[in-house]
Amino acid sequence: MEAGGSVGLVGAGRMALAIATGILAAGNVKPEAIIASAPSDTNLCKFKEMGMRTTHDNDNVVKNCTVLFLAVKPHLLTNVLANICPLVTPAHLVVSVAAGVTIDTLESLLPRGCRVLRMMPNLPCTVLQGASVFCCGSHATTSDADLLKGLVSACGLCEETPESYIDIHTGVSGSGVAYVYLFAEALIDGAVKMGMPYELSKKLVAHTLLGAGKMMLDSGEHPAKLKNDVCTPGGTTVHGLYQLEKGNLRSTVMDAVEAATGHAREVGKRLQPHQGLGQR
Ligand SMILES: NC(=O)c1ccc[n+]([C@@H]2O[C@H](COP(=O)([O-])OP(=O)(O)OC[C@H]3O[C@@H](n4cnc5c(N)ncnc54)[C@H](OP(=O)(O)O)[C@@H]3O)[C@@H](O)[C@H]2O)c1
C-alpha cells in the first residue's frame, strides 16, 4: 500500500475481523492505520484489543482511509452507502464483501467514476486459510487489483475472476465450508458409532480433511486419482466408497452447489436498486 494509505472497515463483524487480521498478518499495514466502525462495541472491542482504531460513526472511517471495505450485511448496504456516499472521493478504493451485491448495484450507489472491487471471502479467512475471489468494477485498475491482493495475501487464496463466477464461489467455497462440516460431523458420528471416543474422532477427522486438502494442493492431482490411490482392490476403502455411491453423495453435493449458487443469484437480483435509485 502507498505511504500514508490506511484501511477502513464499515462493519466490524466476523468477516471484517478476518480481513483485518489477514491485513495485519501480511505486515505492510500497522494496526493504527486501520479503523473500523459498528453501531455497538460488541465486536469493536476485538479490533481495539489488536491496536486498531474504532468508531461508531461510519463517516469517520471514510474520512480516515484510502481503502474502504464494506462489511455490513447485504440488506443494510443501500442505507449505509446512501449515508457515506457524499464523503467518498476519487482517492478511495471501495471493496465490498457483501454477498450478492453486484458491481452494477455498488457503482449505482457510489459517486460516478468510483473505483470498486467486489470480493467474496469465506470464513476460513479467520484462520488465514480462506478461499476468496474478487472482480473489478468498471473504473478499477490493475494496480487496484494488485493492491487488494497484496493487502489480503495472508488471508489465504485470493483469485481475480469474472463477476459471473462470484455466486458460484459463494455456492462452492462460501457455503462449501458448511458442507464440509456436515461431512465431518457424519465421519465423527460414524467413528463414535463404531466405538471411538468423540474427542479423538473429532481430532482425527479434522486432520483427515486438512491432510486430504493439502495433498490435493501439493500434488496438483485430480481428486479422482488421489481417491484411487487409497483404494486397494477388494480393500476397506472401496467398501466404504460403495456405500457413499449408493447414497448418491456426488450428485447430492453437485445439487447442493447448484442450489446455493442459484440462491446467491436470486439474492443478488433482489438487492438490485430500482432503476436510477442512488445513481449519482
Ligand atoms: N461470514 C461469512 O462467511 C461471509 C462470507 C462472505 C461474505 N460475507 C459478507 O460479509 C458481510 C459481513 O458479514 P459477517 O458475517 O461479518 O456479519 P456480522 O458478523 O453479523 O457483522 C456485521 C457487522 O456490521 C455491523 N453493522 C450493523 N449495522 C451497521 C451499520 N449501519 N453501519 C456499520 N456497521 C454496521 C455490525 O455491528 P455490531 O458489531 O454492532 O453488531 C457488525 O459489526 C456480509 O455482507 C456478508 O454477506 C460473509
Side-chain angles (χ1 to χ4, degrees):
M1 198 152 93
E2 285 166 22
S6 50
V7 174
L9 300 123
V10 169
R14 285 170 305 172
M15 199 39 73
L17 186 65
I19 289 169
T21 306
I23 292 173
L24 290 177
N28 301 320
V29 180
K30 292 197 162 44
E32 56 273 20
I34 301 182
I35 179 164
S37 64
S40 76
D41 282 325
T42 317
N43 294 296
L44 282 180
C45 55
K46 297 168 204 154
F47 288 74
K48 246 185 231 167
E49 279 163 19
M50 292 165 73
M52 292 176 264
R53 288 180 294 150
T54 61
T55 173
H56 296 304
D57 183 356
N58 295 340
D59 289 1
N60 264 344
V61 171
V62 185
K63 286 181 200 158
N64 285 289
C65 74
T66 50
V67 181
L68 173 64
F69 283 90
L70 303 172
V72 295
K73 290 289 185 195
H75 68 279
L76 298 175
L77 201 60
T78 307
N79 275 346
V80 165
L81 280 179
N83 289 324
I84 63 172
C85 185
L87 298 170
V88 175
T89 70
H92 286 104
L93 171 64
V94 177
V95 185
S96 166
V97 300
V101 184
T102 63
I103 288 282
D104 263 1
T105 301
L106 293 164
E107 288 183 345
S108 74
L109 296 167
L110 283 158
R112 208 181 284 282
C114 183
R115 292 175 295 129
V116 177
L117 302 175
R118 178 183 172 197
M119 178 185 177
M120 197 43 55
N122 71 351
L123 212 49
C125 281
T126 315
V127 290
L128 307 181
Q129 293 291 337
S132 307
V133 292
F134 75 95
C135 64
C136 292
S138 15
H139 308 285
T141 63
T142 314
S143 340
D144 294 331
D146 290 343
L147 176 57
L148 177 66
K149 278 196 251 181
L151 271 178
V152 300
S153 58
C155 291
L157 180 76
C158 185
E159 296 268 326
E160 183 175 353
T161 67
E163 187 166 27
S164 58
Y165 292 179
I166 298 232
D167 290 332
I168 305 174
H169 170 270
T170 303
V172 74
S173 291
S175 309
V177 176
Y179 316 154
V180 173
Y181 288 141
L182 192 75
F183 187 63
E185 186 188 13
L187 286 175
I188 295 165
D189 287 348
V192 171
K193 186 177 180 208
M194 298 318 292
M196 186 182 275
Y198 167 77
E199 281 302 332
L200 178 60
S201 308
K202 192 176 77 172
K203 261 193 278 186
L204 289 172
V205 166
H207 279 273
T208 303
L209 296 177
L210 202 62
K214 187 155 168 49
M215 272 193 81
M216 227 168 104
L217 286 175
D218 288 358
S219 69
E221 295 284 4
H222 192 286
K225 156 86 170 68
L226 295 170
K227 179 204 74 183
N228 288 347
D229 289 348
V230 191
C231 286
T232 310
T236 52
T237 308
V238 78
H239 278 82
L241 285 171
Y242 178 65
Q243 295 302 320
L244 294 176
E245 292 292 1
K246 276 207 298 190
N248 291 323
L249 180 80
R250 274 195 279 192
S251 58
T252 306
V253 172
M254 287 169 73
D255 284 346
V257 174
E258 186 175 341
T261 304
H263 188 71
R265 286 179 179 154
E266 279 307 308
V267 171
K269 279 185 206 149
R270 267 185 260 140
L271 289 169
Q272 270 167 6
H274 302 304
Q275 212 158 14
L277 177 78
Q279 185 67 48
R280 281 156 220 271

